[in-house]
Amino acid sequence: MDAAAGNADAKARAVIATSFACLDAASMTWVADDGKGEIMDPYDECLAAVRG
């Protein structure tokens, strides 16, 4: 986090919250697909969607 560019605490919290939100979305997707494949695949897709 670049503390000089603003509130580092808020930025860190946003990154952590995004990671948990992506894990939640990935786990729901993985369960809906009957647990087929690796859970990290939908997690990576969720992170890529956030990154743009």
Side-chain angles (χ1 to χ4, degrees):
M1 302 291 112
D2 184 9
N7 189 337
D9 288 343
K11 291 177 183 180
R13 287 184 183 106
V15 169
I16 292 167
T18 299
S19 299
F20 279 117
C22 287
L23 180 58
D24 185 45
S27 65
M28 288 189 292
T29 301
W30 183 74
V31 168
D33 197 26
D34 296 323
K36 295 177 186 162
E38 295 291 324
I39 195 168
M40 291 307 294
D41 293 336
Y43 179 72
D44 289 340
E45 290 175 19
C46 290
L47 285 178
V50 172
R51 290 180 183 151

